[in-house]
Amino acid sequence: MAASFDLVVLGAGSGGYACALRAAQLGFMVALVEKDKVGGTCLHRGCIPTKAMLHAAEVADSVRDGSQFGVHAAIDKIDLAGVVTYADSVVGRIYRGLSGLVSSRGITVVHGAGSLTQHDGRPAVTVGDETYQAPNLVLATGSYARSLSGLEIDGLKIQTSEQALRLDRLPASAMVLGGGVIGVEFASAWRSFGVNVTIVEALPRLVSGEDSAVSAALERAFRKRGINVLKGAAMSACQTAESGVRLELEDGQQLEAELLLVAVGRGPQTTGLGYQETGVDLEDGFVTVNERLETSVPGVYAVGDLVPGLQLAHRGFAHGIFVAEEIAHRTGALEQAPAAIVDVDVPRVTYCDPEIASVGLSEDDARTRFGEVETFTYDLAGNGKSQILKTRGFVKLVRRPSGPVVGIHMIGARVSELVGEAQLITNWDAFPADVAGLIHAHPSQSEALGEAHLALAGKPLHSHG
């Protein structure tokens, strides 16, 4: 006999558990199916442990550079096993809190590998010998670390990011195949720990999803830090040897290092889960959805990394909440339909050193969409708090001519903390003059946002405009 619920969610990562929590809050009886632990990749093998590692790297840099601030200290050693223990403790605390929250909402957590099936002519989720039915199902099975043809991930000399997070010993040298978010974050952390790092990127620039000015600034900063960056460099062959890994590029160049990190993006986890067999349309492995995140099968939704677009945990959170509210609206439990999630409105952060934070359209994308645009770049050299932190970077604004700001792009230490205000500006279609009228605390890095908008509004203060 099948167990019946109001909603069954397959996958308890960011999108899945957010959907379950909001649905339970709205009065639905929810089953949450997960083969591993609630929290998924982000909590256990992605966002949280990676950022804990990056914070440890920041501490190492602070000690190493302390003499600039009159504080003389030395690093005795980098204990990578200790860094992993610290990261695990952070993950553990969050996991315990999340598990308690899920339990307190009355959500039934089903432990086991689930798949999409048909039961009595309707879509259902099957786990082992048990079947779970509901009028609405949500697919939230997340993503996996991609590789390339000709690469054999052995977990020792050639690793994915998930394996690299469990390293208990630092390599003397490392190559990072891929200059996207994951690649530059690991490269940044490892360099702070003293590893000789080379990034190999097939595209013409690092972090290609960001504004080109940000990419150029990051490349300069990385080279200054001693990180070797090879762009437009595609791999042709890879071999392991006793001493490490040998990488051959298409131009004939050969590179060697003790370890190779494969960071060429993540793919949707849709294989072998019964999606296509039950009528769910896929394209390049991703689940095809409409703007309401409903799949080709009525009543079956998909969220997070399964859906083409930005692969970000907070996008998954937003998707999950949206779908719960969409179902509630359709069933009469919620009066107003939720606003659709649009990727361009989602803030993006890369936690390397220097940090990158952005929201909205890049200059190139804005020109493609609107034709002519106006831009202004405020150099952090004019910002007091940034000088205190000894960071370099900028805040770049992109606006429609005589119109609202449609993109904000930032690079520099701690700029991730500015992206909340940036999101409000772009999401609310604010004009430069709207933001110029706001008072930003002094000395703070948020002043850089204020100063940039003052300049674009035609009344620059601490900048030439």
Side-chain angles (χ1 to χ4, degrees), residues 46-369:
C47 317
I48 298 301
T50 304
K51 277 56 186 179
M53 176 184 68
L54 283 157
H55 178 63
E58 182 183 6
V59 172
D61 285 332
S62 295
V63 173
R64 188 180 296 110
D65 300 334
S67 60
Q68 297 182 52
F69 308 96
V71 178
H72 296 266
I75 296 176
D76 179 45
K77 68 174 180 177
I78 300 294
D79 176 11
L80 195 58
V83 173
V84 172
T85 298
Y86 153 65
D88 286 347
S89 70
V90 175
V91 170
R93 285 194 298 274
I94 297 174
Y95 174 61
R96 289 189 294 273
L98 177 60
S99 298
L101 181 60
V102 169
S103 177
S104 72
R105 295 277 175 89
I107 296 167
T108 300
V109 178
V110 180
H111 297 283
S115 60
L116 193 62
T117 57
Q118 289 277 355
H119 185 81
D120 293 337
R122 294 166 49 200
V125 172
T126 297
V127 182
D129 296 329
E130 298 294 326
T131 299
Y132 301 86
Q133 276 190 317
N136 295 283
L137 306 177
V138 178
L139 309 179
T141 46
S143 60
Y144 67 93
R146 289 187 186 273
S147 186
L148 296 176
S149 176
L151 279 176
E152 184 177 341
I153 308 293
D154 62 8
L156 299 172
K157 295 177 180 177
I158 303 177
Q159 301 190 350
T160 66
S161 59
E162 295 181 12
Q163 295 160 339
L165 280 171
R166 306 310 301 174
L167 280 173
D168 60 3
R169 182 188 66 84
L170 284 170
S173 60
M175 293 180 291
V176 178
L177 189 59
V181 172
I182 296 172
V184 300
E185 287 187 345
F186 269 89
S188 181
W190 283 347
R191 185 59 190 148
S192 295
F193 291 150
V195 178
N196 291 320
V197 180
T198 296
I199 300 175
V200 180
E201 171 55 58
L203 294 176
R205 58 189 177 93
L206 299 182
V207 288
S208 60
E210 297 293 339
D211 190 272
S212 58
V214 169
S215 295
L218 179 64
E219 290 163 18
R220 289 193 298 271
F222 270 15
R223 287 198 170 96
K224 186 174 181 181
R225 292 184 59 197
I227 298 173
N228 187 27
V229 177
L230 300 178
K231 301 174 294 179
M235 182 200 83
S236 64
C238 180
Q239 293 180 326
T240 57
E242 186 175 339
S243 59
V245 183
R246 181 179 298 111
L247 196 66
E248 185 173 332
L249 306 183
E250 287 186 349
D251 63 4
Q253 186 176 359
Q254 292 193 352
L255 307 171
E256 292 187 15
E258 191 175 326
L259 178 72
L260 174 66
L261 172 67
V262 181
V264 291
R266 298 185 65 84
Q269 196 76 262
T270 53
T271 302
L273 297 175
Y275 290 178
Q276 287 184 300
E277 292 81 352
T278 52
V280 174
D281 289 341
L282 303 180
E283 185 174 347
D284 296 328
F286 290 95
V287 178
T288 303
V289 296
N290 59 24
E291 70 165 7
R292 310 311 288 178
L293 298 180
E294 191 171 22
T295 71
S296 54
V297 178
V300 178
Y301 299 81
V303 299
D305 287 358
L306 294 182
V307 179
L310 298 172
Q311 292 181 314
L312 298 169
H314 46 282
R315 176 182 181 252
F317 292 143
H319 277 182
I321 294 168
F322 170 85
V323 166
E325 294 182 350
E326 175 72 7
I327 294 169
H329 174 67
R330 292 190 183 191
T331 57
L334 196 64
E335 183 176 343
Q336 186 172 351
I341 308 300
V342 182
D343 274 6
V344 74
D345 294 334
V346 177
R348 307 174 295 274
V349 178
T350 304
Y351 293 88
C352 52
D353 178 22
E355 285 186 348
I356 298 167
S358 62
V359 62
L361 297 171
S362 68
E363 180 179 349
D364 288 342
D365 289 343
R367 290 188 186 281
T368 299
R369 183 176 298 192

Side-chain angles (χ1 to χ4, degrees), residues 385-430:
K385 186 59 181 287
S386 295
Q387 289 303 299
I388 291 168
L389 296 173
K390 287 187 174 291
T391 188
R392 295 181 180 182
F394 57 78
V395 172
K396 178 179 178 178
L397 306 183
V398 181
R399 75 177 295 198
R400 298 180 65 174
S402 302
V405 175
V406 297
I408 299 178
H409 309 276
M410 302 174 285
I411 184 168
R414 304 185 187 180
V415 294
S416 60
E417 303 303 328
L418 304 180
V419 80
E421 181 181 357
Q423 181 187 22
L424 293 178
I425 293 166
T426 59
N427 280 220
W428 286 349
D429 296 326

